[in-house]
Amino acid sequence: MELRVLVLPGDGIGPEVTAEAMGVLRRVADLFGHFVHAVDGLIGGAAIEAAGAPLPPESLQAARDADAVLLGAVGAPRFDGLPPDQRPERGLLALRQALGTFANLRPSRAWPTLLDASPLKNAVVEGTDLLIVRELTSGLYYGTPRGITGSGPGERAVNTLSYTREEIERVARVAFHLARGRRRHVTSVDKSNVLENSQLWRRVVTEVASDYPDVTLDHLLVDNCAMQLIVNPRRFDVVLTENLFGDILSDEAAVLSGSIGMLASASIGERRSSGLRAGLYEPVHGSAPDIAGRNIANPLGAIGSVAAMLAYTFELHAEARAIEAAIDQVVASGRLTADLKPAARAATTSEVGQAVRDAIAAPCSMLPAPRPLIPGPRSLIPDP
Ligand code: NAD
């Protein structure tokens, strides 16, 4: 199969981790007889500097032409003073919207050998295995009117939190379908005691649940969910929530895995005319300017995102599992970057990438049984 991938390395550690992830993709493609057709593009601060915009038209067109997009991260302190609509992050928001990737899947689990890397007690995190399904193309990040007006004491900032029934329903269906491939439980997170928006969210999710009688549903207020994630994370299977809450809760969930560098994500939309599902794949972390350019960033979140790409866009599940198994093997071997072990004994970004490539070289039957990072066969994701 030809895998047409647009790579948008972006800023900070983005180029370092995407280089390792692409190396892993090429390795698995070689092994399984696929051809990677990769094109590099600009996004974020790198695009502002080279082309004057956070998402140049060429990058947008290349994203539409590719089957899948692998993104590193966007953002750098030197752009923090720019108006919101010119900042690097705006390029990413525009890309997500243009690709229609409305469901962001963010798994978080506790690797047995990484329990000590979490600031939480081992007994709390052990056995954690949850999937956050975050709505990605609506809500507060996109609502209008928005902006800052006036001056002096009357200066005023407005953002709009808006969801349609249709937007809630389609992401809820993704969550319920995915729960069927897991422990069949969905926790919907909202703030319905205060926000009308959340009241509609809760009502629509409850209605959708009636189509999935084999999946149980409970509702949590977002403040309580934030607490339960660190008090009792094992209570969660699939967490379904809107854009802003999902952004915040998934960073919090990173502490369960030991490092945000471990977390992969898949942003998926509907099938395109090619028959393949639209997909934007990126690690959960940002551009980490504090460690950029030093070859010490953890590349496993980016590498896991390539596994998700193989599963969700290309529907190459054996290939995806081979990467997940290789990640598990490398984690178990203790070959880890400095976010997970003392710097003096840590491996570099490129050494961890090489270790994953080497682990993929082993016959799959010899590898330990993988626990899928992104669960579920194709049939678990609803077609429109
Ligand atoms: P961050 O995720 O970049 O970093 C938070 C902390 O985690 C830092 O201490 C960093 O060193 C560490 N970290 C992150 N990824 C790591 C990795 N792979 N290996 C080891 N350590 C890692 O979040 P931040 O510092 O709040 O934001 C930095 C910039 O990134 C900002 O400009 C922000 O807007 C942007 N950002 C972009 C995205 C994205 O592109 N999707 C997401 C979040 C933040």
Side-chain angles (χ1 to χ4, degrees):
M1 183 174 185
E2 184 180 24
L3 314 177
R4 295 183 309 141
V5 179
L6 172 67
V7 187
L8 298 173
D11 304 319
I13 61 171
E16 299 166 56
V17 297
T18 49
E20 298 310 321
M22 286 307 291
V24 170
L25 180 63
R26 288 203 168 85
R27 171 84 196 127
V28 86
D30 281 351
L31 215 63
F32 285 79
H34 304 295
F35 175 70
V36 179
H37 178 81
V39 175
D40 270 4
L42 291 167
I43 194 167
I48 294 172
E49 274 166 352
L55 183 66
E58 302 76 36
S59 296
L60 186 56
Q61 190 55 48
R64 291 194 166 117
D65 292 344
D67 295 323
V69 180
L70 175 69
L71 186 129
V74 295
R78 63 187 180 284
F79 301 108
D80 286 353
L82 290 177
D85 61 339
Q86 293 168 28
R87 288 179 55 134
E89 291 80 357
R90 193 51 71 88
L92 180 52
L93 294 181
L95 181 65
R96 289 168 175 168
Q97 197 168 44
L99 293 175
T101 50
F102 62 86
N104 181 218
L105 317 182
R106 298 184 159 195
S108 183
R109 70 181 170 101
W111 274 266
T113 52
L114 297 185
L115 296 183
D116 286 338
S118 171
L120 301 176
K121 293 189 181 98
N122 285 6
V124 173
V125 285
E126 195 167 18
T128 296
D129 179 0
L130 59 89
L131 173 68
I132 295 179
V133 178
R134 165 190 171 196
E135 200 292 325
L136 199 64
T137 53
S138 187
L140 206 55
Y141 291 6
Y142 291 95
T144 53
R146 66 184 296 159
I148 302 176
T149 54
S151 60
E155 189 173 9
R156 183 179 162 83
V158 173
N159 288 95
T160 300
L161 174 53
S162 163
Y163 271 106
T164 64
R165 164 178 284 277
E166 188 188 6
E167 287 167 340
I168 301 167
E169 191 175 326
R170 66 182 180 178
V171 72
R173 290 194 183 282
V174 170
F176 281 97
H177 274 262
L178 290 171
R180 281 184 164 163
R182 296 175 49 96
R183 301 193 303 282
R184 293 177 184 259
H185 185 75
V186 171
T187 300
S188 176
V189 177
D190 61 40
K191 189 67 182 168
S192 59
N193 55 338
V194 179
L195 301 175
E196 288 80 0
N197 192 278
S198 283
Q199 286 160 12
L200 179 65
W201 180 278
R202 189 174 283 216
R203 187 150 46 83
V204 173
V205 171
T206 304
E207 286 169 22
V208 169
S210 64
D211 288 341
Y212 301 84
D214 51 325
V215 179
T216 53
L217 168 69
D218 68 344
H219 302 273
L220 272 189
L221 297 177
V222 63
D223 35 0
N224 187 17
C225 180
M227 184 172 70
Q228 295 303 325
L229 269 176
I230 52 171
V231 171
N232 186 16
R234 277 191 299 272
R235 84 176 286 295
F236 295 105
D237 179 17
V238 175
V239 177
L240 165 65
T241 192
E242 59 94 53
N243 201 342
L244 172 67
F245 297 162
D247 193 358
I248 297 167
L249 294 176
S250 54
D251 265 34
E252 187 188 357
V255 302
L256 307 167
S257 294
S259 166
I260 196 166
M262 294 298 295
L263 298 194
S265 89
S267 304
I268 58 171
E270 292 172 354
R271 281 183 200 280
R272 301 160 119 191
S273 54
S274 64
L276 300 181
R277 189 173 296 282
L280 169 62
Y281 301 89
E282 50 180 319
V284 168
H285 62 75
S287 57
D290 52 333
I291 59 167
R294 293 163 55 194
N295 197 23
I296 60 170
N298 185 343
L300 293 178
I303 294 172
S305 301
V306 162
M309 176 193 291
L310 289 169
Y312 281 103
T313 287
F314 297 112
E315 297 173 359
L316 296 171
H317 296 289
E319 290 82 341
R321 280 196 298 275
I323 295 179
E324 289 165 356
I327 291 173
D328 280 359
Q329 188 169 301
V330 169
V331 170
S333 76
R335 206 151 179 74
L336 302 165
T337 40
D339 49 323
L340 290 167
K341 68 193 292 187
R345 290 189 288 118
T348 62
T349 308
S350 34
E351 285 168 349
V352 172
Q354 185 63 50
V356 175
R357 290 195 288 279
D358 291 346
I360 290 172
C364 290
S365 58
M366 303 284 287
L367 297 172
R371 175 70 189 86
L373 207 59
I374 302 272
R378 154 188 195 178
S379 59
L380 292 173
I381 309 167
D383 276 314

